[in-house]
Amino acid sequence: MPVELFGISLDFYIDSLIKILASSISGAILGLERKHRYQVVGMRTLVLISVSSTLLSILSYSLTEIQTGKGFYGGDPTRIIAGVVSGIGFLGGGAIVHQGLNIRGLTSAAVVWTAAAIGLAIGAGLYEQSLIVLAVAIFLLLVLEKIESRFFLAGRNKTLRLVFADGERGIDLGAIKKVIESYGFKVTDLNIKRIMADRKVILLYSVKSPDLDDYDQVIGELSDLGNLEEFTLKD
């Protein structure tokens, strides 16, 4: 005769404990990656999302199996899961912020979705599938970013402001653009402003900017093309 606690098989409690622990570990691994990048979504958030999703998944399946004095609870086990899938989008949306020309937090929002999905899958007993998704997620977050940064140098949208003194040589826009792009910048737009009284030319480039540690070389080459008075790069 199976051992029971509060009318429920002890095996069910052990199985639930294993699922919750596995879900906690999965959420913690995803949270460590986000925290390592100083993102707003951290370990506690993702562990809570994963564990709570697992609990809701266990609950949704258990409602059709647990028997009380009045009989079985009954119901559709997919209804709670559908509610989790719909509601988790609001939490993920809170991680998305707009900074200047850039939108940050899209990856964190996707990680929130992943943590919820892994939690639900573990709750349903799909351990192998959950492990595969966790491995793929870590690969994408850690390895694929390095591949993207290697082959797609320009990532963030920024505004490059160049101020030249309008001297006798004039301004060679083609040469300036060539120098900028040689350092990995991708020019998407250009606005020009000429101040006659001060004899200055202001160039405002909309660019996708690479992550450079030192801008002295690009500033030096631009200075060779004219009397460069200002170099400003900002979001």
Side-chain angles (χ1 to χ4, degrees):
M1 182 176 179
V3 180
E4 293 187 355
L5 182 63
F6 301 110
I8 300 175
S9 171
L10 184 61
D11 292 338
F12 174 78
Y13 286 106
I14 296 175
D15 181 64
S16 298
L17 178 60
I18 293 173
K19 290 177 180 179
I20 291 172
L21 288 176
S23 183
S24 301
I25 294 172
S26 299
I29 292 173
L30 293 172
L32 277 173
E33 189 279 334
R34 288 290 86 192
K35 212 61 181 176
H36 179 70
R37 301 177 188 278
Y38 302 100
Q39 299 296 318
V40 293
V41 177
M43 287 184 61
R44 290 177 298 174
T45 302
L46 292 176
V47 170
L48 286 172
I49 290 171
S50 186
V51 170
S52 59
S53 297
T54 297
L55 178 60
L56 290 172
S57 182
I58 294 172
L59 174 63
S60 65
Y61 286 100
S62 299
L63 286 177
T64 61
E65 300 175 0
I66 297 176
Q67 186 177 17
T68 66
K70 298 180 181 179
F72 289 93
Y73 280 116
D76 183 359
T78 64
R79 298 180 69 178
I80 295 179
I81 296 175
V84 174
V85 173
S86 300
I88 200 67
F90 291 98
L91 187 58
I96 301 174
V97 294
H98 191 276
Q99 293 184 345
L101 300 175
N102 300 281
I103 298 176
R104 297 178 60 87
L106 289 174
T107 302
S108 293
V111 172
V112 168
W113 269 93
T114 303
I118 291 175
L120 290 171
I122 291 175
L126 303 176
Y127 297 108
E128 295 84 357
Q129 293 86 340
S130 301
L131 181 60
I132 292 172
V133 171
L134 178 61
V136 170
I138 294 301
F139 173 81
L140 294 175
L141 292 170
L142 298 181
V143 179
L144 195 60
E145 185 196 33
K146 296 180 180 179
I147 296 176
E148 287 181 337
S149 62
R150 179 180 178 87
F151 293 99
F152 304 96
L153 297 178
R156 299 190 61 185
N157 293 310
K158 294 187 178 183
T159 298
L160 174 62
R161 174 186 166 96
L162 303 177
V163 179
F164 288 91
D166 191 8
E168 296 180 356
R169 290 189 296 171
I171 303 298
D172 188 343
L173 295 178
I176 293 174
K177 182 179 179 181
K178 185 176 180 180
V179 169
I180 293 172
E181 291 182 338
S182 68
Y183 284 90
F185 292 89
K186 302 298 181 183
V187 178
T188 59
D189 194 16
L190 168 63
N191 290 298
I192 303 175
K193 180 179 180 181
R194 185 183 296 271
I195 303 176
M196 301 299 184
D198 296 333
R199 297 182 60 83
K200 296 181 184 297
V201 176
I202 302 175
L203 306 178
L204 295 175
Y205 290 94
S206 297
V207 299
K208 286 187 175 295
S209 172
D211 293 326
L212 297 179
D213 296 328
D214 188 1
Y215 292 92
D216 289 342
Q217 288 187 345
V218 63
I219 292 174
E221 289 196 34
L222 290 173
S223 299
D224 292 337
L225 300 177
N227 298 319
L228 181 65
E229 295 186 349
E230 180 183 336
F231 177 98
T232 304
L233 182 66
K234 63 179 182 178
D235 292 334

